Amino acid sequence: MQPLFRSRRDRLDRLRRQREEAVEAAARREAAAHGGSQTCPGCGAECSNQELVKTEYVCPHCGYHLPIGAYLRLSLLLDPFSFRELWPELTAPNALDFPGYEGKLAAQREKTALSDAAVAAVGKLDGHQGVFAVLDSRFFMGSMGVAVGEKITRAAEYARKHRLPLIIFSASGGARMQEGILSLMQMAKTSAAIERFSKAGGLYISVFTHPTTGGVTASFASLGDITLAEPGALIGFAGPRVIQQTIGQELPQGFQRAEYLEDHGFVDQIVPRGEMRKTLSQLLALHRKGVFHR
Amino acid sequence: MSKLTAAQRVKLARTPGRPGTLDFVQHLFTDVFVCKGDRLGREDPSIFGAVARFHGRPVTVLGHRKGRTFEENMKCNFGMPSPDGYRKAQRLMRQAEKFGRPIITFIDTPGAYPGLEAEAGGQGEAIASCLALMSGLTVPVIAVVIGEGGSGGALALAVGNRVIMLENAVYSVLSPEGFASILWKDAGRAEEAAGVMKLTAADLLKLGVADQVIPEPEEGAHTDPEVVYAAVDRAIVRHLSQLEKERDLAAQRYQKFRAMGAVREETEA
Ligand SMILES: [Zn+2]
């Protein structure tokens, strides 16, 4: 396809997505992408997509939280018609001339209709205005390259400028290897933006979803004023395989899961998907600036 | 500068006799007072911390420590810090901020330790907090990459107003071995990985990650370390005096890292 056509088509795709923001519509698209049913990675049960739409993609048999895309996540959280996507066209070039990277990026875009692994939006959750950013693990495992780093940084800067709370849902395999050192530098860039936002008095709620590891765990995802996690989410700096190779022994049951992090003091609360909206609403209300603020 | 391949430089950066953090501390600073402990119940020898004088002026010094002998290597976990080390670094950075002392860091680590205890202790959180804290400091921060700059474990001490690299030092998102094993499922292709990763000092200068490259003797820093100590000393003096004229060092540092990585953006039709 010609690049011009492709970019026009992508733009139309995005405009369409922004209109179709109701839960049902987004969930139906998700269902269509996976056919009639999915096998639960938690218990192996065959779950029909009709069923999963109703449970917000949580296994009705064992409670396993299946990964969901960024737009579906936003549609589950935000009030209908309150959603405005920020910087939807943001991408990063192949700055290191890494062999084959452009082709891989194009394939990921084709597969997911995303421009890169992060989606940012300004919108209302239960009437509370906020800036929301969501990583999408379907795009290059949600890895952070320059585009993701830039979007998170802009989200924090936008929230600071407009004095809005910032809510980020992480899901990431870590750094985008093909962007090498520049991807590493995004850890410093995003952390610096969160720090500035924090010093300006902004509220940042970080939510870990399955799986979040590497450079995202070691930067903005670990800097929340409030830190939440979905049940069973794998959260860590080093990946389990690397750790196993390093120490040469089996990893304990439940290691690096959300519950393990809660036990070790790195998560305020584990919140099931079905209660996330209510919990965030409560937190946003608790931090609403009133007469006693400052 | 010499014409070595990236893989050859990786080898040089890891040469056992290469000057490490302690060597630079010994040759560049006087009145060195070593500071230990994170005040949370732990001491991690793989991160060195001290208050010392640099040309008579009090500074805070931090750096990765690999150790010289096998015994020291073991004690320092081969330069792979635990969360405790990063929390000690944070404590000493806050202290430097309190007393208005410039911070000089020496970067030389294969990466933060990927182990059970390190994960239980919040390796990710410890590194993230270092990055956030460093980004907002109002004192001058100069980072010198002297050997291996491996991943987030290196960056955690390298959010500087200036980042200086020795000619044969390397700095990368992951070790070439790790990179090859993740991308190609074959750690044996590490040399090939080094070639495409853009991890040499010259590459990083071009990418704007490094601000200055300090040449090394033909066969590497360990063959004539005195020359290298003197060159690093001159570089730090020069950058410190430049930074003293900056009005807002936190803003300068923010902008420096904010600019890393260009993006594209189509305007909406
Ligand atoms: Zn199940």
Side-chain angles (χ1 to χ4, degrees), chain A residues 39-45 47 58-64 66:
Chain A
T39 309
C40 168
C43 67
C47 307
V58 174
C59 173
H61 309 287
C62 73
Y64 185 93
L66 288 114

Side-chain angles (χ1 to χ4, degrees), chain B residues 250-265:
Chain B
Q252 188 272 342
R253 204 180 303 111
Y254 189 86
Q255 291 312 327
K256 174 181 165 64
F257 284 87
R258 182 73 187 80
M260 295 219 184
V263 290
R264 282 203 204 113
E265 204 168 6

